[in-house]
Amino acid sequence: MEQSGIARQLADDLWLVDTQFQGERQIIASYLIVGEGELALVDVGAAATLGPLLDGVREAGFDPADITRLLLTHVHLDHAGAAGALVRQLPRVRVYVHRIGAPHLIDSSRLMRSATRIYGDRMERLWGTMEPVPEDRIEIVDDGDEIRVGARRLRALYTPGHAIHHIALYDEARGVAFPGDVAGVSIEGIDFVRPPTPPPDLSLEDWDASITRLEALRLQRLYLPHFGEVDAPARHFAILRRRLHEWGEIALAGMRAGKDDASIAADFARAADPVIAEHARKGAAEVDAVRRYELATNYLMSAQGYIRYYQKRHPELLR
Ligand SMILES: [Zn+2]
């Protein structure tokens, strides 16, 4: 069978499926874990990319009808968007999600409304419609819970900072993790780590604590939603932590100078884009690296995340 490159095998029981967000490669990943007569997906991408997701499962050699579990790191549209449609189409599927995220799946209208405020009439084309997940198809996950998928035991680690309903999934036996967005954005082949910092939950204190918790695991490898494998997690986390705070300083300076979100976003771009481009030239020679990072996590949303964080949590720094 000719491979279109949507699915790539990473381990004996693990595949990366590229959901091809907006027809682009290496923006949003889903990870397929294969057990005996069962399949699990770690994050499922946007509702709009349900087709490529299922094509990827087939390309890996499996029948989507065997998908039994969706393990969601958090309920943002780019990770959980397709969950409701999968549940509707596949009667055996159950959805694993942190306790705080579950209500947003059961009633997805609030997530859809807030996204529509941002994306307007581009909403449907970009993200599709996030269907609700019936309550009786949801398994609530709390910190420390173990989820067995085939030969793997995945431990849920509550890791807020990017979102208050965020978990990482830790596979101790293999020394790897599916860390979700609290591990940042780093597109394979480009040596650059960018912090995705959207409103309304951004917390630098929580994020620091989550990084510290993940660092303590001394992981061998990360499987990032945006995008792909990281083989030197210690270095990756150190860079992520540094940039998270550097951008905080940029945002804070901008706010003190009376700048708006667009202007602070432009400051982020001035600081980061030349570095991304430089790394892309040295690495995979991807000429459009800057654009692809922006698709995975955009500067405007990052600026809005920091602004809300400082206004809500640290008004004393703005006086
Ligand atoms: Zn994301």
Side-chain angles (χ1 to χ4, degrees), residues 76 118 162 197-202 300-306 308-309:
H76 289 165
I118 298 169
H162 170 81
T197 60
D201 296 345
L202 174 64
L300 185 61
M301 206 178 283
S302 280
Q304 290 164 349
Y306 279 105
R308 186 169 166 134
Y309 162 72

Side-chain angles (χ1 to χ4, degrees), residues 177-207:
F178 302 89
D181 279 356
V182 82
V185 172
S186 184
I187 298 174
E188 268 181 3
I190 305 169
D191 183 18
F192 186 84
V193 186
R194 181 156 152 180
T197 60
D201 296 345
L202 174 64
S203 162
L204 299 191
E205 292 85 350
D206 287 352
W207 203 319

Side-chain angles (χ1 to χ4, degrees), residues 74 78-79 181 226:
H74 58 303
D78 53 332
H79 299 259
D181 279 356
H226 318 284

Side-chain angles (χ1 to χ4, degrees), residues 4-272:
S4 61
I6 303 173
R8 176 159 58 97
Q9 189 162 15
L10 304 177
D12 53 344
D13 65 341
L14 178 66
W15 296 72
L16 182 159
V17 176
D18 189 333
T19 68
Q20 302 180 80
F21 181 61
Q22 296 186 53
E24 299 272 350
R25 291 298 170 86
Q26 294 190 306
I27 309 296
I28 300 175
S30 172
Y31 291 93
L32 173 67
I33 304 175
V34 180
E36 195 68 48
E38 60 163 354
L39 302 172
L41 293 170
V42 179
D43 289 343
V44 293
T49 54
L50 181 61
L53 173 67
L54 297 181
D55 285 347
V57 172
R58 288 184 203 99
E59 189 184 295
F62 302 99
D63 182 348
D66 291 333
I67 298 171
T68 52
R69 286 186 281 181
L70 313 181
L71 316 180
L72 304 179
T73 60
H74 58 303
V75 301
H76 289 165
L77 294 178
D78 53 332
H79 299 259
L86 283 164
V87 163
R88 178 172 51 74
Q89 292 178 19
L90 305 170
R92 295 167 66 200
V93 164
R94 303 191 67 73
V95 181
Y96 291 68
V97 63
H98 186 263
R99 175 176 303 280
I100 302 173
H104 298 287
L105 291 183
I106 296 165
D107 177 6
S108 53
S109 63
R110 225 176 86 191
L111 276 174
M112 284 296 291
R113 256 200 317 277
S114 63
T116 303
R117 267 200 301 275
I118 298 169
Y119 297 102
D121 53 13
R122 293 178 306 143
M123 183 66 204
E124 185 59 33
R125 184 173 54 81
L126 289 176
W127 299 105
T129 299
M130 185 170 178
E131 298 179 32
V133 177
E135 192 167 0
D136 62 4
R137 307 285 293 276
I138 289 180
E139 299 285 342
I140 297 290
V141 177
D142 284 312
D143 183 51
D145 285 355
E146 185 179 275
I147 305 165
R148 288 177 182 235
V149 185
R152 290 189 190 237
R153 295 157 169 231
L154 300 175
R155 172 98 37 210
L157 303 178
Y158 180 55
T159 40
H162 170 81
I164 54 164
H165 52 269
H166 189 288
I167 56 169
L169 295 165
Y170 171 43
D171 178 345
E172 185 176 5
R174 296 182 191 237
V176 303
F178 302 89
D181 279 356
V182 82
V185 172
S186 184
I187 298 174
E188 268 181 3
I190 305 169
D191 183 18
F192 186 84
V193 186
R194 181 156 152 180
T197 60
D201 296 345
L202 174 64
S203 162
L204 299 191
E205 292 85 350
D206 287 352
W207 203 319
D208 264 332
S210 292
I211 291 176
T212 299
R213 191 174 185 194
L214 293 171
E215 283 175 329
L217 304 174
R218 301 186 181 283
L219 296 161
Q220 309 286 314
R221 179 165 296 150
L222 307 175
Y223 299 112
L224 296 184
H226 318 284
F227 185 102
E229 294 180 280
V230 171
D231 289 327
R235 176 173 175 276
H236 174 94
F237 282 126
I239 295 170
L240 172 64
R241 191 196 296 272
R242 196 184 66 220
R243 189 155 289 124
L244 188 63
H245 289 280
E246 280 173 4
W247 283 23
E249 292 302 317
I250 291 172
L252 200 50
M255 291 173 78
R256 285 169 173 159
K259 292 183 177 180
D260 65 3
D261 53 359
S263 175
I264 291 170
D267 290 342
F268 289 159
R270 258 192 301 280

